[in-house]
Amino acid sequence: AQASITKVLENQIPFIFLTNGGGYPEKEKMRHINERLGMNLDHERLIQCHTPLRDWHHLKDQVVLVSGNREIYQVPLEYGFTHAISTGEVITAHPMAWPFDSVHKTMQLDESRKHNSHILDFDPAKVAAVCVLNDGLCWGSELQIMIDALLYGVKQPGYNHPLFVLTNPDLIWTTAFERPRFAQGIYSGIVMDTYQRLTGQPLHAVEFGKPTKATFDYAETVLLNEARKLNYDGGIDEIYMIGDNPAGDIVGGNNQGWNTILLKTGVYQDEMDPKNPTVILENVQQAIDWILDRHPL
């Protein structure tokens, strides 16, 4: 990957990283990527599943409940959501809210969070939005807290419940295990199904992540900003989406009118529907070479 990215940089081609991963502020996530690649790339070219929430200024002074890893509260705080709290923090502060075992009951609040009134005096009736930003650390206990907020929280205009935001619709992803594993979309689906079973009404979700139009529109804006840094005065004529997930990368790119390159290095397996990519290639290196062959510089 490093050689391919270096080739793109040397040819002054604007590019971004668009991932359905998340769980960390962009600066921190980009630091991890740079350490793996041995490079020094700017975090502004990184779009995670929850990055578009940076522009949700209308919720930044309201109580927002987020679910994800133990430090997930750092993401909305980075975006300016000053009253964001996490499901895990609520369980730590209120262990009786979930009458079964939970890893959150064995943990302490971070020092900077020990006097947070929204955590210590948690009231689901004050929650304006529930956001799944990453896979939960303890699905069962966090589901309970989210449902409490969705049932009793602040009803938002146009909805009969607080806003529910899911940021990654992927159902599966590839790990070191021999078969694909559940991804965040399964987790969000459980929340939606549970809400409907309890109320008889659908839980309306605001969706981000690939293949949603909201995320691809955001990505195109960021890509154009990267192009301007390279003095692309006339804009961009063609955009190429490179990815290994037909349902996310290829569907999203095709819907946006981009060229799409499906790789055989991750989620995609030969028995899957490839979702009509422009081309199927083995790896990123082949993809970059194929693009450069189409556009001699």
Side-chain angles (χ1 to χ4, degrees):
Q2 182 192 44
S4 298
I5 294 171
T6 299
K7 186 178 292 188
V8 172
L9 290 168
E10 290 175 346
N11 284 279
Q12 292 195 305
I13 300 170
F15 73 96
I16 58 174
F17 295 108
L18 178 59
T19 174
N20 270 359
Y24 303 92
E26 283 69 21
K27 288 181 182 179
E28 182 177 350
K29 187 71 172 181
M30 198 70 232
R31 180 173 57 81
H32 296 161
I33 294 172
N34 281 327
E35 288 175 355
R36 288 204 310 271
L37 294 175
M39 305 185 78
N40 186 28
L41 300 170
D42 195 296
H43 73 277
E44 291 182 356
R45 67 172 79 245
L46 172 63
I47 302 170
Q48 301 184 96
C49 62
H50 43 64
T51 305
L53 288 172
R54 282 185 180 276
D55 293 342
W56 274 38
H57 304 286
H58 60 291
L59 283 179
K60 292 189 175 181
D61 292 323
Q62 300 191 54
V63 178
V64 175
L65 180 70
V66 300
S67 181
N69 60 51
R70 183 64 183 184
E71 289 76 38
I72 195 64
Y73 69 86
Q74 295 176 1
V75 172
L77 291 183
E78 176 77 15
Y79 296 169
F81 292 78
T82 56
H83 301 307
I85 59 175
S86 75
T87 48
E89 291 177 308
V90 171
I91 297 159
T92 295
H94 306 275
M96 292 306 295
W98 176 251
F100 311 103
D101 289 340
S102 171
V103 66
H104 294 297
K105 294 185 179 184
T106 68
M107 298 179 172
Q108 300 293 318
L109 294 176
D110 288 352
E111 195 63 36
S112 64
R113 310 285 283 172
K114 287 184 176 180
H115 303 290
N116 186 305
S117 62
H118 296 297
I119 299 171
L120 300 181
D121 303 320
F122 176 67
D123 181 356
K126 295 180 180 179
V127 175
V130 175
C131 305
V132 181
L133 303 185
N134 192 231
D135 299 291
L137 187 61
C138 181
W139 283 23
S141 59
E142 295 182 42
L143 170 66
Q144 177 72 75
I145 303 304
M146 284 190 284
I147 292 297
D148 286 345
L150 290 166
L151 289 176
Y152 307 114
V154 181
K155 296 180 181 179
Q156 297 298 303
Y159 299 90
N160 195 37
H161 50 71
L163 286 178
F164 176 63
V165 180
L166 63 89
T167 60
N168 178 0
D170 285 351
L171 300 179
I172 57 173
W173 68 304
T174 303
T175 69
F177 193 69
E178 62 189 270
R179 302 180 187 88
R181 301 290 85 189
F182 290 159
Q184 190 176 315
I186 296 290
Y187 182 40
S188 299
I190 291 171
V191 179
M192 298 173 73
D193 181 68
T194 302
Y195 180 90
Q196 183 155 7
R197 284 171 178 266
L198 290 171
T199 67
Q201 301 295 322
L203 176 59
H204 300 285
V206 179
E207 296 189 36
F208 292 104
K210 299 178 292 186
T212 66
K213 180 172 174 53
T215 285
F216 275 83
D217 284 346
Y218 187 92
E220 196 159 306
T221 298
V222 174
L223 186 59
L224 289 171
N225 287 337
E226 292 298 314
R228 279 190 283 271
K229 294 177 184 178
L230 296 171
N231 298 316
Y232 273 57
D233 296 330
I236 300 175
D237 293 328
E238 290 192 72
I239 298 176
Y240 291 82
M241 178 71 198
I242 303 172
D244 62 24
N245 189 325
D249 301 318
I250 304 308
V251 170
N254 286 344
N255 289 344
Q256 198 71 10
W258 299 356
N259 299 289
T260 52
I261 302 176
L262 179 60
L263 305 183
K264 298 181 179 181
T265 54
V267 171
Y268 177 64
Q269 305 292 320
D270 288 336
E271 65 272 13
M272 288 182 173
D273 179 358
K275 301 297 184 181
N276 195 34
T278 307
V279 66
I280 301 176
L281 298 173
E282 291 293 332
N283 51 48
V284 173
Q285 181 177 345
Q286 280 193 8
I288 298 302
D289 290 342
W290 186 83
I291 293 170
L292 290 176
D293 286 344
R294 297 189 79 192
H295 303 275
L297 299 174

